[in-house]
Short mmCIF file of all heavy atoms in Angstrom, two decimals:
data_model
loop_
_atom_site.label_atom_id
_atom_site.label_comp_id
_atom_site.label_asym_id
_atom_site.label_seq_id
_atom_site.Cartn_x
_atom_site.Cartn_y
_atom_site.Cartn_z
N ARG A 3 99.85 117.26 92.26
CA ARG A 3 99.25 117.53 90.95
C ARG A 3 100.36 117.48 89.90
O ARG A 3 101.48 117.91 90.15
CB ARG A 3 98.66 118.94 91.02
CG ARG A 3 98.24 119.53 89.72
CD ARG A 3 97.61 120.88 90.02
NE ARG A 3 97.37 121.63 88.81
CZ ARG A 3 96.65 122.75 88.79
NH1 ARG A 3 96.12 123.22 89.89
NH2 ARG A 3 96.47 123.39 87.67
N TYR A 33 113.33 126.74 78.23
CA TYR A 33 112.66 127.88 78.87
C TYR A 33 111.25 128.05 78.27
O TYR A 33 110.27 128.19 79.00
CB TYR A 33 113.48 129.16 78.69
CG TYR A 33 112.75 130.41 79.14
CD1 TYR A 33 112.66 130.74 80.48
CD2 TYR A 33 112.12 131.25 78.20
CE1 TYR A 33 111.97 131.87 80.89
CE2 TYR A 33 111.44 132.38 78.62
CZ TYR A 33 111.36 132.69 79.95
OH TYR A 33 110.67 133.81 80.36
N ARG A 46 101.45 132.48 91.84
CA ARG A 46 100.48 132.11 92.87
C ARG A 46 101.07 132.24 94.27
O ARG A 46 100.40 132.67 95.20
CB ARG A 46 100.01 130.68 92.66
CG ARG A 46 99.08 130.58 91.49
CD ARG A 46 98.61 129.18 91.29
NE ARG A 46 97.68 129.16 90.18
CZ ARG A 46 97.73 128.28 89.20
NH1 ARG A 46 98.66 127.34 89.20
NH2 ARG A 46 96.86 128.33 88.23
N ARG A 55 107.50 137.66 87.83
CA ARG A 55 108.30 137.72 86.60
C ARG A 55 109.79 137.90 86.93
O ARG A 55 110.66 137.34 86.30
CB ARG A 55 107.79 138.85 85.70
CG ARG A 55 106.45 138.50 85.05
CD ARG A 55 105.77 139.74 84.48
NE ARG A 55 106.50 140.30 83.36
CZ ARG A 55 106.39 139.91 82.09
NH1 ARG A 55 105.56 138.92 81.80
NH2 ARG A 55 107.07 140.47 81.14
N ARG A 173 91.63 128.99 103.60
CA ARG A 173 90.37 128.59 102.94
C ARG A 173 89.20 129.46 103.41
O ARG A 173 88.37 129.90 102.61
CB ARG A 173 90.06 127.12 103.24
CG ARG A 173 90.92 126.13 102.46
CD ARG A 173 90.54 124.73 102.88
NE ARG A 173 91.36 123.72 102.23
CZ ARG A 173 91.49 122.49 102.70
NH1 ARG A 173 90.85 122.10 103.80
NH2 ARG A 173 92.22 121.60 102.06
N ARG A 174 89.16 129.68 104.72
CA ARG A 174 88.06 130.50 105.25
C ARG A 174 88.14 131.92 104.68
O ARG A 174 87.12 132.51 104.32
CB ARG A 174 88.14 130.55 106.78
CG ARG A 174 87.80 129.23 107.46
CD ARG A 174 86.35 128.89 107.30
NE ARG A 174 86.01 127.59 107.85
CZ ARG A 174 84.89 126.94 107.59
NH1 ARG A 174 84.01 127.45 106.72
NH2 ARG A 174 84.65 125.77 108.10
N GLU A 181 82.82 134.77 98.24
CA GLU A 181 81.36 134.69 98.39
C GLU A 181 80.74 136.04 98.73
O GLU A 181 79.56 136.12 99.02
CB GLU A 181 81.02 133.66 99.47
CG GLU A 181 81.38 132.24 99.04
CD GLU A 181 81.23 131.23 100.19
OE1 GLU A 181 80.82 131.64 101.29
OE2 GLU A 181 81.54 130.06 99.96
N GLN B 14 87.12 120.56 107.54
CA GLN B 14 88.20 120.81 106.57
C GLN B 14 88.72 119.50 105.97
O GLN B 14 88.96 119.43 104.76
CB GLN B 14 89.35 121.54 107.26
CG GLN B 14 89.00 122.94 107.77
CD GLN B 14 89.18 124.01 106.70
OE1 GLN B 14 89.59 123.74 105.58
NE2 GLN B 14 88.86 125.25 107.05
N ASP B 18 88.64 118.03 101.99
CA ASP B 18 89.78 117.70 101.10
C ASP B 18 90.11 116.21 101.10
O ASP B 18 91.11 115.78 100.52
CB ASP B 18 91.01 118.56 101.43
CG ASP B 18 91.60 118.30 102.81
OD1 ASP B 18 91.29 117.25 103.41
OD2 ASP B 18 92.37 119.16 103.29
N ASP B 42 78.40 123.96 104.89
CA ASP B 42 79.77 124.46 105.08
C ASP B 42 80.78 123.53 104.40
O ASP B 42 81.68 123.99 103.68
CB ASP B 42 80.07 124.56 106.57
CG ASP B 42 81.34 125.34 106.83
OD1 ASP B 42 81.58 126.34 106.12
OD2 ASP B 42 82.11 124.95 107.73
N GLU B 57 93.35 127.10 86.40
CA GLU B 57 94.11 127.28 85.14
C GLU B 57 95.38 128.06 85.45
O GLU B 57 95.35 128.96 86.30
CB GLU B 57 93.29 128.08 84.15
CG GLU B 57 91.99 127.42 83.74
CD GLU B 57 92.12 126.74 82.40
OE1 GLU B 57 92.75 127.33 81.50
OE2 GLU B 57 91.59 125.63 82.26
N SER B 61 101.09 135.08 81.01
CA SER B 61 101.86 136.33 80.96
C SER B 61 102.80 136.20 79.77
O SER B 61 103.12 135.08 79.36
CB SER B 61 102.65 136.48 82.25
OG SER B 61 103.31 137.71 82.29
N LEU B 63 105.93 135.69 78.61
CA LEU B 63 107.19 135.31 79.23
C LEU B 63 108.36 135.35 78.25
O LEU B 63 109.52 135.35 78.66
CB LEU B 63 107.07 133.90 79.84
CG LEU B 63 105.92 133.77 80.87
CD1 LEU B 63 105.79 132.32 81.34
CD2 LEU B 63 106.14 134.70 82.05
N GLU B 65 109.33 137.74 76.57
CA GLU B 65 110.10 138.98 76.70
C GLU B 65 111.09 138.94 77.87
O GLU B 65 111.95 139.81 77.98
CB GLU B 65 109.15 140.18 76.85
CG GLU B 65 108.34 140.17 78.12
CD GLU B 65 107.33 141.32 78.17
OE1 GLU B 65 106.84 141.73 77.09
OE2 GLU B 65 107.03 141.78 79.27
#
Side-chain angles (χ1 to χ4, degrees):
Chain A
R3 168 177 170 170
Y33 171 79
R46 287 181 178 133
R55 288 165 66 85
R173 285 178 182 160
R174 291 291 176 195
E181 293 172 2
Chain B
Q14 295 273 359
D18 65 18
D42 192 38
E57 298 260 319
S61 185
L63 303 175
E65 66 185 31

